[in-house]
Amino acid sequence: QVQLVESGGGWVQAGGSLRLSCAASGRAFRSYAMGWFRQAPGKEREFVAVISWSGASTYYADSVKGRFTISRDNAKNTVYLQMNSLKPEDTAVYSCAADPAAWRLDVFRQSDRYNYWGQGTQVTVSS
């Protein structure tokens, strides 16, 4: 069992930056790929980024590529999402997820293929 707790959300003006953290319990964290998803009001949850268990591989949604960076520190059981050049359309609840069913593009971009979820943290970007 893995428990995930996000932090670092808040309010920022357009063009600003935030860094989200997702702290995990349990040694199994180090063997899990980790993903970030977001859900804006009235919209479906969408994939943001994913990182392999070692940190060697990452993938991003086109909407955040070049602006967001996912990373992890397995010694601290933490995964991060550095968000730069934020836009109002980035406003959403951001959640981290662990252990996708497979390391495949058609799997780790689907929120229902993850076994563990955090409670989410609100990010609000004002124009």
Side-chain angles (χ1 to χ4, degrees):
Q1 192 77 6
V2 174
Q3 291 185 326
L4 305 174
V5 179
E6 301 95 336
S7 61
W11 177 90
V12 65
Q13 287 189 324
S17 299
L18 283 174
R19 188 176 83 155
L20 305 183
S21 299
C22 173
S25 64
R27 295 173 63 183
F29 166 83
R30 303 172 186 184
S31 64
Y32 292 154
M34 298 291 297
W36 282 98
F37 287 77
R38 66 186 182 186
Q39 188 167 21
K43 295 187 177 181
E44 292 188 354
R45 183 179 285 174
E46 66 171 349
F47 168 78
V48 175
V50 68
I51 188 167
S52 62
W53 68 270
S54 67
S57 297
T58 58
Y59 289 93
Y60 297 91
D62 288 343
S63 59
V64 306
K65 201 172 295 182
R67 300 187 298 123
F68 290 11
T69 302
I70 189 171
S71 62
R72 67 190 298 160
D73 185 339
N74 284 345
K76 296 182 178 179
N77 274 21
T78 303
V79 64
Y80 304 97
L81 185 68
Q82 177 67 45
M83 306 185 295
N84 298 331
S85 302
L86 282 161
K87 305 175 181 180
E89 51 263 44
D90 294 319
T91 295
V93 174
Y94 285 72
S95 300
C96 64
D99 192 24
W103 183 252
R104 290 201 328 254
L105 192 63
D106 63 326
V107 173
F108 59 61
R109 293 193 302 182
Q110 304 301 320
S111 61
D112 61 354
R113 304 305 299 272
Y114 287 74
N115 289 315
Y116 305 103
W117 286 88
Q119 83 289 349
T121 185
Q122 176 70 45
V123 171
T124 303
V125 184
S126 65
S127 57

